[in-house]
């Protein structure tokens, strides 16, 4: 049931910040690459339309979605449609519990996840990327917790659209994120490696640009609860996939992914989207002889048939089948028909591999 009295409010882009207007680039389907693109935005020419607002529909649409009120209105439309189509959420998640800690995935929109992270000893909680404030508030009320923090991975409305409504209802709640992204209702800008405590919960912010300039991932220290680290990755990293390079280069995204991998193989991955089946299917077209990949793909198919969530995975597991974390693997390089230049820097070659994988993924259409 949805909580009464909570309305979704138009969100401002952070405390004391105004939206900056931007000129609309030329139609990307009309010919060559348009000039005057926003700095750091990668041009992806296509005429394809998609239900997901972040499908590859060109830089003109991306600029409108990310920088104008039209994006917010589109998000509101998507939210209403998803609430009607999936009144109980797009999948059935499983809470993850350790002594004193509960992580509750909240399926929102058509494929997003928000996460309610609870210190069960004090009933204090934080939420990551609350795009649907009604669904998040319902979880807060059901769990009987006090919301003290919103951790926003980036500015896109499908991750930040609920900030304003939740702040209105929970006035003492703080909104954390990067000042480099125009995050709605931002109260506490974070720097790379800065830590925030909510009860016994300790989160570390990691600057992970690539999808957006100010994208941040958050690492929960599981040590006090006898658990592993937990990475809330937003649109940096998905099960078998990674986010689009809307505002970054392959080199930038590669560096951000390396930051994630450095957290350790036992780290639990909590992604921002339910893209597992699509990403695994794509990966299986690249690496035709990967037993770990094939096993995970079959598992994901069963999960989808039962409408069950696929999260979390682990970073160790991801490195066995996620092509975006396998740019150093000779088998993937060979599958792409790519070879390192005799004088080419290893990381520069890995960035070229990532760029090619990303290009192919952008063109991929699951059947």
């Amino acid at each position: 049931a949805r909580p009464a009295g909570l309305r979704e409010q138009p969100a401002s882009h952070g405390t004391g910040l105004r939206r900056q207007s931007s000129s609309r680039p030329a139609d990307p389907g009309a010919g060559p690459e348009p000039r005057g693109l926003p700095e750091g935005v990668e041009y992806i020419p296509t005429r394809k339309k998609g239900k997901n607002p972040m499908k590859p529909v060109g830089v003109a649409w991306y600029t409108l979605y990310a920088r104008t009120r039209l994006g917010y209105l589109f998000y509101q439309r998507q939210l209403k449609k998803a609430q009607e189509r999936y009144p109980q959420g797009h999948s059935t998640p499983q809470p993850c519990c350790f002594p004193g800690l509960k992580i509750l995935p909240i399926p929102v929109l058509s494929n997003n996840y928000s996460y309610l992270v609870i210190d069960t000893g004090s009933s204090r909680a934080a939420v990551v990327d609350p795009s649907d404030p009604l669904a998040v508030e319902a979880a807060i009320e059901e769990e009987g917790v006090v919301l003290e923090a919103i951790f926003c991975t980036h500015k896109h409305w499908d991750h930040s659209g609920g900030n304003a409504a939740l702040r209105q209802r929970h006035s003492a709640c703080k909104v954390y994120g990067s000042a480099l992204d125009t995050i709605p209702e931002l109260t506490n800008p974070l720097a790379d490696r800065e830590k925030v405590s909510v009860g016994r919960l300790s989160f570390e912010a990691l600057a992970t640009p690539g999808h957006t300039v100010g994208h941040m991932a958050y690492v929960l220290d599981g040590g006090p609860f006898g658990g592993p680290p937990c990475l809330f990755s937003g649109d940096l990293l998905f099960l078998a996939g990674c986010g689009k390079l809307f505002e970054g280069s392959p080199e930038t995204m590669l560096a951000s992914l390396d930051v994630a991998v450095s957290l350790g193989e036992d780290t639990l991955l909590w992604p921002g989207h339910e893209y597992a089946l699509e990403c695994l299917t794509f990966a299986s077209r690249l690496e035709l002889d990967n037993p770990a990949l094939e096993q995970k793909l079959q598992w994901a198919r069963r999960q989808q048939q039962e409408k069950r969530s696929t999260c979390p995975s682990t970073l160790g597991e991801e490195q066995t089948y996620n092509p975006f974390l396998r740019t150093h693997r000779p088998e993937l390089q060979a599958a792409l028909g790519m070879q390192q230049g005799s004088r080419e820097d290893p990381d520069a070659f890995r960035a070229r591999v990532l760029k090619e994988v990303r290009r192919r993924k952008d063109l991929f259409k699951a059947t």
Side-chain angles (χ1 to χ4, degrees), residues 178-196:
S178 171
L180 298 178
D181 263 20
T182 47
I183 292 175
E185 299 292 319
L186 181 67
T187 61
N188 292 67
L190 294 174
D192 184 33
R193 306 287 176 174
E194 190 169 351
K195 294 184 178 182
V196 177

Side-chain angles (χ1 to χ4, degrees), residues 66-357:
R67 300 191 175 198
T68 75
R69 181 169 174 77
L70 287 176
Y72 179 77
L73 295 176
F74 183 84
Y75 148 77
Q76 288 280 55
R77 179 173 175 268
Q78 294 295 106
L79 179 60
K80 181 179 179 181
K81 289 174 64 176
Q83 289 171 342
E84 293 172 351
R85 183 176 181 183
Y86 306 109
Q88 303 301 319
H90 56 73
S91 60
T92 303
Q94 293 295 315
C96 180
C97 299
F98 297 95
L101 168 66
K102 183 176 184 178
I103 300 173
L104 179 63
I106 306 172
V108 292
L109 296 177
S110 61
N111 53 41
N112 282 71
Y113 284 111
S114 301
Y115 296 98
L116 187 64
V117 187
I118 303 170
D119 170 9
T120 59
S122 66
S123 295
R124 300 161 74 180
V127 66
V128 181
D129 287 354
S131 56
D132 182 344
L134 298 179
V136 171
E137 184 61 29
I140 290 170
E141 292 184 3
E142 183 174 348
E143 296 294 328
V145 296
V146 177
L147 183 65
E148 293 195 357
I150 294 171
F151 291 100
C152 209
T153 60
H154 62 294
K155 63 191 173 187
H156 292 157
W157 293 111
D158 61 324
H159 293 258
S160 65
N163 291 3
L166 288 171
R167 276 269 294 159
Q168 185 180 46
R169 191 173 182 93
H170 305 272
S171 58
C173 177
K174 297 177 181 178
V175 178
Y176 297 91
S178 171
L180 298 178
D181 263 20
T182 47
I183 292 175
E185 299 292 319
L186 181 67
T187 61
N188 292 67
L190 294 174
D192 184 33
R193 306 287 176 174
E194 190 169 351
K195 294 184 178 182
V196 177
S197 294
V198 177
R200 294 179 64 207
L201 308 173
S202 178
F203 294 86
E204 182 178 12
L206 299 179
T208 50
H211 185 67
T212 67
V213 170
H215 192 286
M216 279 189 154
Y218 299 96
V219 182
L220 172 67
D221 181 7
F225 311 100
C230 294
L231 174 64
F232 298 94
S233 59
D235 283 1
L236 167 69
L237 185 62
F238 311 127
L239 195 152
C242 85
K244 284 184 171 294
L245 280 62
F246 285 115
E247 299 180 11
S249 66
E251 292 79 7
T252 299
M253 179 61 87
L254 178 64
S256 293
L257 292 172
D258 284 348
V259 168
V261 169
S262 71
L263 296 172
E265 293 187 354
D266 65 333
T267 301
L268 296 181
L269 173 65
W270 300 94
H273 289 270
E274 180 56 74
Y275 288 161
L277 188 56
E278 177 185 335
C279 289
L280 286 163
T281 302
F282 166 72
S284 71
R285 307 288 173 84
L286 294 181
E287 289 195 64
L288 302 180
D289 187 20
N290 184 330
L293 173 56
E294 181 61 28
Q295 182 178 6
K296 193 70 175 182
L297 177 57
Q298 295 303 324
W299 174 83
R301 286 172 176 160
R302 293 193 297 271
Q303 292 294 102
Q304 185 189 56
Q305 290 172 356
E306 299 172 5
K307 299 187 183 302
R308 296 172 68 88
S309 169
T310 60
C311 61
S313 65
T314 68
L315 292 182
E317 191 179 2
E318 289 298 307
Q319 292 174 70
T320 67
Y321 53 66
N322 188 327
F324 296 98
L325 300 185
R326 293 171 60 79
T327 54
H328 62 295
R329 300 291 299 186
E331 53 265 50
L332 178 62
Q333 297 164 4
L336 297 171
M338 300 182 68
Q339 292 184 338
Q340 183 177 349
S342 59
R343 297 185 178 181
E344 187 174 18
D345 178 82
D347 283 343
F349 177 53
R350 291 177 59 216
R352 279 205 300 123
V353 173
L354 188 147
K355 182 178 181 180
E356 177 61 15
V357 176

